[in-house]
Amino acid sequence: MRYQWLLFKTAIMFFTRIPVGQLPYAQSYLQASARYFSWVGILIGLFGAMILLLASWLFSAPLAILLSMIATILLTGAFHEDGFADCCDAFGGGYTKEKILTIMKDSRLGTYGVVGLILILSLKFLLLIELTHFFSLELVAALLVAAHANSRFWATNIMQQLPYVQDIDASKSKPLADR
């Protein structure tokens, strides 16, 4: 049970800015913690849903949605937004596999990344507003929780099913999950 708790805290540490205390590090812990990624998604979704519902008591639905989005971005340290921006830069500016991988490793944010972030965050914001026209805010909050958990489930599934895209031996980074 203690080992599972360590794995869960490792997953929390990987996906959020929530302090979990000092943890021992091993690549195997990070790989094994993938089983808890959806649970971390539930925590993040619950936090976003709570902010959405609390903010809706004081503000309009669009402002409550925006505050919820800001809260989850701050909670995760913009982890997913950074990855999405890297993908936009790489596939927008790279024409070969090697160039795409080089751009993805670059810590600088390019035009494609900025445009991609503006568009994806705008799309999320507008879709959530659209959902509030058809469903109650409580149901939209529940959908947020489900979406956060579901997205991490599919990411974990993809990591388990597909091979890593670069030479693992020559890379400074190692794959998160072995097949």
Side-chain angles (χ1 to χ4, degrees):
M1 191 63 170
R2 191 176 306 203
Y3 178 68
Q4 296 304 317
W5 181 242
L6 170 69
L7 295 180
F8 180 64
K9 290 193 322 183
T10 301
I12 290 172
M13 182 180 65
F14 183 69
F15 272 119
T16 73
R17 299 287 188 205
I18 298 171
V20 293
Q22 192 71 19
L23 296 178
Y25 175 78
Q27 182 69 25
S28 61
Y29 294 158
L30 188 56
Q31 290 175 350
S33 75
R35 70 186 72 170
Y36 293 109
F37 286 2
S38 289
W39 288 98
V40 175
I42 290 171
L43 288 177
I44 295 166
L46 284 170
F47 181 73
M50 178 189 71
I51 297 298
L52 175 66
L53 295 174
L54 290 174
S56 71
W57 291 348
L58 300 172
F59 307 109
S60 65
L63 188 52
I65 289 167
L66 184 60
L67 291 172
S68 173
M69 288 175 59
I70 291 169
T72 57
I73 289 171
L74 290 174
L75 183 67
T76 62
F79 180 78
H80 296 91
E81 291 77 13
D82 180 53
F84 181 75
D86 287 344
C87 286
C88 290
D89 280 336
F91 287 100
Y95 297 104
T96 65
K97 178 181 175 183
E98 293 76 24
K99 184 68 173 168
I100 289 170
L101 291 172
T102 300
I103 293 171
M104 283 183 124
K105 289 181 186 178
D106 190 345
S107 63
R108 295 172 294 179
L109 186 58
T111 302
Y112 288 107
V114 171
V115 170
L117 281 176
I118 290 168
L119 292 175
I120 198 80
L121 292 173
S122 298
L123 180 63
K124 180 179 179 180
F125 177 72
L126 292 171
L127 285 172
L128 287 170
I129 289 173
E130 196 71 19
L131 285 174
T132 64
H133 292 213
F134 298 102
F135 305 107
S136 69
L137 206 55
E138 292 78 15
L139 182 57
V140 172
L143 291 172
L144 276 177
V145 176
H148 278 278
N150 193 34
S151 67
R152 284 152 183 86
F153 167 77
W154 287 110
T156 305
N157 192 33
I158 289 169
M159 288 186 317
Q160 295 294 325
Q161 300 300 320
L162 298 177
Y164 201 61
V165 296
Q166 66 186 43
D167 182 10
I168 297 167
D169 297 325
S171 175
K172 292 180 184 175
S173 63
K174 300 298 177 202
L176 179 60
D178 288 331
R179 293 175 72 186

